[in-house]
Amino acid sequence: MAVVVALVAAGATAGIVHLVNQARGAPAPVVRADDDPLAAAASASQTTGITAAAVASDVRSAPSSTGSEGAGKNSDRTPRAAAIKEEAVVRGRPAAAFDEFCEVWTYPTPATDGQAWANRVTESWLAAHGAECPDAVVIPGYFIQSTMPGDDGELVVTLEDAPGALAALKPAARDIIDRTAAEYPELERVTAKTANGETSSSYTRGQWEIRVPFRERAAMAAENPEPASTLIGQEWADEKMNQWLTKIRADEIAELSAGFKLITRWSSPAPGELVVYLDAALLEQPHLQGPHMTIDIELQGIAVTILDNIYFDAPELKQVTAVLENGAAGETVRRGDKWFTH
């Protein structure tokens, strides 16, 4: 479960600018290796991470899938649905996306507040695509056969049993978060699962937030500000690092890559100040051996990334310092620095 951090740039100044641009949304400064970017494409051929033509070819011969009882894409359970599907496949439509004109799709009856909320989020996602049902959305959206509430703040979507659906789990979850998180601040996670329930993949609000441009994050934070922590000293430092790891969906430092995996410890010498220590072996990292990267840029990039990622989650965080354990180099970035003011 690797986490990838892009730190290499064409030059000293360009290196930090590039890293901070990543920290502001294109792509996230720290992303999981299995987070294949989803291009919100107007056609299936534009989609990144899944080859649309290959999947379409696969699913045409796939066995019929089934939707949730009373909701979703009921597929060929009825003669009418079977006829619609047969005609769509003859026209060259992927079997997994046969309901192109939304003749079969239905929403679950909103018998609970949770299901009513899930229906609204789903409607918002579809509206963002200019569609009325998942089959009218390009890959990976058309694999979705039903949506329902999960834990608090969680939307659970089920993908039909069709070739290509497994690879679509993460992109489908990410696409829904991307298109609905701003409208639904209570949406914390989208979990996409296979129809048999054996495999699932989630995308979180935290992962979405670190890809949102800084100004937009600032506006959202102003509407729903996070409280400042009341902890102090090492407990506060531990809390800040836990916040950061949670934000980037890493369980521990060992999962990180590049210089981040060499973080050895952290402390707080004064209120609002976080110091992150790194093994001096950082100096020997391959990406620091070229002519365009220096240890100062690397350390500054690490500090910028951490502060940027939890800037709005930790309003009391004033500065982050990244320093080598042997004291040979260190860089500090502050809340009011240029990286966070424009």
Side-chain angles (χ1 to χ4, degrees):
M1 192 164 64
V3 178
V4 180
V5 183
L7 295 171
V8 181
T13 301
I16 289 296
V17 170
H18 176 61
L19 184 127
V20 174
N21 283 340
Q22 287 183 314
R24 293 180 177 173
V30 183
V31 297
R32 303 186 65 79
D34 58 353
D35 289 348
D36 291 331
L38 172 68
S43 67
S45 63
Q46 293 175 289
T47 303
T48 301
I50 306 173
T51 305
V55 174
S57 175
D58 277 344
V59 294
R60 286 174 189 163
S61 60
S64 301
S65 59
T66 58
S68 300
E69 290 291 345
K73 188 166 50 177
N74 293 317
S75 191
D76 51 7
R77 287 187 174 186
T78 67
R80 178 171 174 270
I84 292 171
K85 182 175 183 178
E86 181 179 3
E87 193 221 344
V89 172
V90 168
R91 287 189 287 106
R93 187 76 178 171
F98 78 90
D99 192 23
E100 179 182 9
F101 302 108
C102 306
E103 300 170 87
V104 174
W105 168 265
T106 58
Y107 285 95
T109 301
T112 65
D113 290 343
Q115 188 60 62
W117 171 80
N119 288 358
R120 290 194 299 272
V121 175
T122 304
E123 288 173 356
S124 178
W125 168 65
L126 290 171
H129 279 284
E132 295 183 358
C133 68
D135 276 12
V137 179
V138 298
I139 189 173
Y142 65 55
F143 285 111
I144 294 174
Q145 69 176 15
S146 65
T147 61
M148 61 186 296
D151 295 333
D152 288 347
E154 180 185 36
L155 179 72
V156 178
V157 301
T158 300
L159 275 62
E160 60 189 291
D161 182 16
L166 195 62
L169 289 172
K170 177 71 74 174
R174 175 173 174 171
D175 186 46
I176 294 174
I177 280 278
D178 280 349
R179 296 172 187 274
T180 61
E183 183 178 356
Y184 292 91
E186 73 280 7
L187 178 60
E188 292 293 335
R189 174 188 303 265
V190 174
T191 298
K193 66 177 185 177
T194 54
N196 60 16
E198 292 181 356
T199 308
S200 66
S201 184
S202 296
Y203 206 81
T204 69
R205 185 174 196 86
Q207 289 175 284
W208 170 75
E209 284 181 347
I210 59 178
R211 294 165 37 248
V212 172
F214 192 84
R215 285 176 183 261
E216 293 180 33
R217 279 192 286 151
M220 291 188 294
E223 292 183 4
N224 297 283
E226 293 290 337
S229 175
T230 59
L231 297 178
I232 60 174
Q234 188 61 47
E235 287 186 344
W236 178 82
D238 291 343
E239 180 185 66
K240 296 311 104 180
M241 291 301 287
N242 284 334
Q243 277 185 305
W244 179 57
L245 289 171
T246 298
K247 193 82 170 188
I248 63 177
R249 293 197 73 194
D251 293 326
E252 56 186 13
I253 296 297
E255 295 178 9
L256 308 181
S257 64
F260 292 88
K261 67 184 177 184
L262 295 178
I263 293 174
T264 57
R265 60 189 177 97
W266 42 86
S267 68
S268 177
E273 297 181 10
L274 177 66
V275 179
V276 177
Y277 300 87
L278 293 100
D279 194 305
L282 179 62
L283 291 165
E284 307 303 321
Q285 288 288 295
H287 66 277
L288 288 178
Q289 305 312 308
H292 303 302
M293 281 293 287
T294 68
I295 187 61
D296 291 339
I297 293 174
E298 175 79 350
L299 292 173
Q300 187 178 56
I302 289 171
V304 166
T305 299
I306 294 173
L307 180 51
D308 181 274
N309 287 173
I310 60 172
Y311 188 98
F312 299 105
D313 301 293
E316 79 286 358
L317 177 59
K318 299 176 182 177
Q319 66 181 50
V320 176
T321 298
V323 61
L324 295 181
E325 282 280 13
N326 63 7
E331 289 291 325
T332 297
V333 296
R334 297 171 178 81
R335 199 173 187 87
D337 284 352
K338 60 182 179 181
W339 316 114
F340 315 110
T341 56
H342 63 280

